[in-house]
Amino acid sequence: MARGGEHTLLVALVVLLLFGITLGVVWWRQMQQHMQQVSPPRAWTPEALDSLGQAFLQRLQQLLNETLQQGPEAAVRVCADTAQEFTAQFARQHGISLRRVALRWRNPRNRPDSVEAFWIEQFQRWQAEGRTLDTLVVLRSAGELRLLRPIVLRSALCLMCHGSQQEIPPSIAQLIAERYPEDRARNFQLGQVRGALSIRVPEQ
Ligand code: HEC
């Protein structure tokens, strides 16, 4: 009898221990979830956002170079299909709002808002005055941090899709006309302001 009693006690203790561990794990998980939910959004500095923007532009350029190796027509297709997708994905991944915008846009979704348009015009004036366009505009208003960086046409490569009628090969011109019937992003010259990279994050 005594031995049986000991056995029951042992089983009860083990059950209690397992129950305790399960409770602990559940509690720990809930705490973690809770902490994830209430942890404040990342406090961005303009410098950190700017280098993220540079990394984005570099990656996009890399994508363009990779696809150009499959031929310029393939690049237009890829550009048209992936530019928006890649931009949205990059922004989501880093929890920021990020866009390429232009007054003379190819994709109407890259149309600037009034603040962006104002600064692109400013960049154009600076470019006409011969200033180097290594400018970063940092704006803070209405609980928002905004960054704008000019995008300048620095490579002859860009003219293959954004240059004059002579510079754009007919097969590319045709593809662009099909995909972007409202295209305004041709007849650019080297050194001109093509648009801007625009980044926005809420600020605490
Ligand atoms: C192979 C063709 C091709 C080349 C080369 C190319 N682009 Fe584009 N570009 C496009 C297409 C297509 C779009 C529209 C993308 C979209 O739908 O968002 C575009 C859009 C843009 C935009 C966004 C604003 C808008 O007008 O919609 C900028 C800025 C831009 N290009 C700059 C450049 C620069 C700078 C270069 C050179 C480094 C370059 N592009 C080279 C095809 C090209």
Side-chain angles (χ1 to χ4, degrees), residues 61 64 68 72 75-76 79-80 83-84 100-102 104-107 110 151-155 157-158 160-162 172 176 180 185 194-196:
Q61 173 92 43
L64 181 68
L68 273 173
V76 179
C79 237
Q84 292 288 326
R100 289 188 306 161
V101 289
R104 280 162 56 192
W105 37 264
R106 174 149 291 165
N107 189 330
N110 300 332
I151 297 178
V152 180
L153 284 167
R154 296 198 195 277
S155 146
L157 182 81
C158 316
M160 191 163 62
C161 300
H162 296 298
I172 291 192
I176 291 173
Y180 303 96
R194 174 67 180 81

Side-chain angles (χ1 to χ4, degrees), residues 7-23:
H7 190 74
T8 316
L9 199 67
L10 202 68
V11 170
L13 271 175
V14 169
V15 168
L16 211 67
L17 196 70
L18 284 176
F19 185 65
I21 290 171
T22 316
L23 214 66

